[in-house]
Amino acid sequence: MHSDSIDQWTHEHVFLGAGHARNERRAWFVVALTVVMMVGEIVAGSLFGSMALLADGWHMATHAAALGIAAFAYLFARQHARNSRFTFGTGKFGDLAAFASAIMLALIAVQIAYESAIRLAYPVPIAYGEAIFVAVLGLFVNLVSAWLLHSGDAHGHDHHHDHDHQEGHHHGHRHHDNNLRAAYVHVLADAATSVLAIVALVVAMVSQWVWADPAVGIVGSLVIASWAYGLIRASGAVLLDVNADKNLEAVIRGRLQTRGDRVTDLHLWQVGPGHRAAVISVVSNRPLPPAVYKRRLGGLRGLSHVTVEVETCQHAPPVSGAD
């Protein structure tokens, strides 16, 4: 068989999210915005001797690093999307970046909790006016960044596919772009910290409750830690090939288990935002070619890579509800 004649049977393994290019641009823009804010605060803090500005500037450096990881993940995934060394493409690289970013977010929560506990035990004088100004400025930058990432579909509901083996509309299951979600959570966490800081500083300034600022800091650290935990679970599940789409699995079984055919093994996992791969074993006493079973799965949008093996069994038990 000539190579030209088998081209129609081969395919690429490009499993990038539908909004990959758009999300990459937005991620780099947010990185640039964060770095400019960070440098500005550090320089201003050094020139004016402001510890509040210096502290917030170095705090933003950790978020800039995490956002940089997200941006580089998009860049790497795009540049190596067709690299044959990656068996199922680079669609999961964003989940690896999200997992690393979530770990950083958890460490930031620990740092905030530790510093707040120290401040509770050993209160220090607070320059309220300066601290509130820094918090408001940081909040503005973070709100702009959050708007950019959210308008880039931060919740990652990808329904389009760059690799369309199956056409049609999948039954509504949504697949998250965890890399964009991680970047969004970072700026959201920073924005939440700024809001809590503003409230606590105003309360402390009016009532002279010095403990209000560190107490709110501990509350904020718990909220950020819970977000980090959720992100670790979501991205970790993708990295460990956990099947989180039981609805799609049920639909696959329903379409294949007809006329005595029985699915004996089914592996379904995510290979990129909005892309699932499946390896399926079918046993039948009247086996059909694998291509027939693949055609039965036509129209399941989100099912981007399907491998079917068929075994003959003269005594295959009938399936409940078979035609």
Side-chain angles (χ1 to χ4, degrees), residues 166-248:
Q166 313 293 340
E167 298 292 338
H169 184 69
H170 176 32
H171 52 276
H173 186 84
R174 295 177 175 182
H175 306 280
H176 297 284
D177 182 341
N178 282 318
N179 192 30
L180 190 67
R181 179 185 169 194
Y184 180 70
V185 168
H186 265 277
V187 297
L188 196 64
D190 218 14
T193 302
S194 296
V195 170
L196 291 173
I198 292 169
V199 173
L201 287 167
V202 171
V203 170
M205 181 174 63
V206 173
S207 64
Q208 294 303 305
W209 292 345
V210 181
W211 53 266
D213 184 45
V216 170
I218 291 177
V219 173
S221 70
L222 294 175
V223 173
I224 294 172
S226 70
W227 290 345
Y229 175 71
L231 190 55
I232 288 172
R233 285 193 61 183
S235 57
V238 175
L239 295 174
L240 294 175
D241 294 330
V242 172
N243 176 19
D245 198 342
K246 294 298 183 181
N247 291 333
L248 179 57

Side-chain angles (χ1 to χ4, degrees), residues 3-301:
S3 60
D4 291 342
S5 62
I6 65 172
D7 286 345
Q8 60 178 315
W9 304 104
T10 61
H11 56 263
E12 293 179 329
H13 295 83
V14 180
F15 300 122
L16 304 181
H20 188 93
R22 181 185 66 245
N23 294 342
E24 181 182 350
R25 289 192 300 270
R26 293 176 185 274
W28 281 117
F29 189 84
V30 171
V31 168
L33 187 62
T34 304
V35 168
V36 169
M37 177 69 182
M38 175 195 75
V39 172
E41 287 189 339
I42 292 174
V43 170
S46 300
L47 290 175
F48 303 118
S50 168
M51 285 305 299
L53 280 172
L54 277 173
D56 197 63
W58 288 114
H59 173 71
M60 289 199 74
T62 59
H63 287 286
L67 293 168
I69 289 174
F72 274 112
Y74 281 121
L75 177 64
F76 183 91
R78 175 172 53 82
Q79 290 183 337
H80 296 271
R82 291 175 172 80
N83 189 328
S84 60
R85 291 188 304 149
F86 298 97
T87 304
F88 283 98
T90 57
K92 290 169 68 172
F93 199 79
D95 294 282
L96 179 61
F99 189 86
S101 189
I103 296 296
M104 292 182 65
L105 194 64
L107 293 176
I108 289 171
V110 172
Q111 178 192 10
I112 293 174
Y114 174 76
E115 292 178 353
S116 298
I118 294 296
R119 289 291 182 90
L120 273 175
Y122 306 100
V124 297
I126 302 174
Y128 292 109
E130 180 185 84
I132 292 174
F133 171 77
V134 172
V136 170
L137 186 61
L139 176 61
F140 174 75
V141 172
N142 286 310
L143 288 178
V144 172
S145 299
W147 175 78
L148 284 170
L149 294 174
H150 188 272
S151 60
D153 200 12
H155 297 290
H157 302 333
D158 286 312
H159 292 276
H160 174 73
H161 302 276
D162 298 323
H163 183 79
D164 283 325
H165 283 303
Q166 313 293 340
E167 298 292 338
H169 184 69
H170 176 32
H171 52 276
H173 186 84
R174 295 177 175 182
H175 306 280
H176 297 284
D177 182 341
N178 282 318
N179 192 30
L180 190 67
R181 179 185 169 194
Y184 180 70
V185 168
H186 265 277
V187 297
L188 196 64
D190 218 14
T193 302
S194 296
V195 170
L196 291 173
I198 292 169
V199 173
L201 287 167
V202 171
V203 170
M205 181 174 63
V206 173
S207 64
Q208 294 303 305
W209 292 345
V210 181
W211 53 266
D213 184 45
V216 170
I218 291 177
V219 173
S221 70
L222 294 175
V223 173
I224 294 172
S226 70
W227 290 345
Y229 175 71
L231 190 55
I232 288 172
R233 285 193 61 183
S235 57
V238 175
L239 295 174
L240 294 175
D241 294 330
V242 172
N243 176 19
D245 198 342
K246 294 298 183 181
N247 291 333
L248 179 57
E249 180 180 327
V251 171
I252 291 173
R253 289 184 182 275
R255 290 195 180 191
L256 295 183
Q257 295 188 147
T258 61
R259 302 184 182 278
D261 296 338
R262 181 177 182 182
V263 174
T264 57
D265 199 15
L266 172 57
H267 299 279
L268 182 67
W269 71 100
Q270 184 171 323
V271 290
H275 296 280
R276 298 281 186 181
V279 175
I280 307 165
S281 294
V282 176
V283 172
S284 176
N285 54 8
R286 291 179 295 173
L288 300 171
V292 174
Y293 297 99
K294 286 187 178 183
R295 283 198 294 271
R296 290 184 186 177
L297 302 179
L300 292 183
R301 197 168 187 181

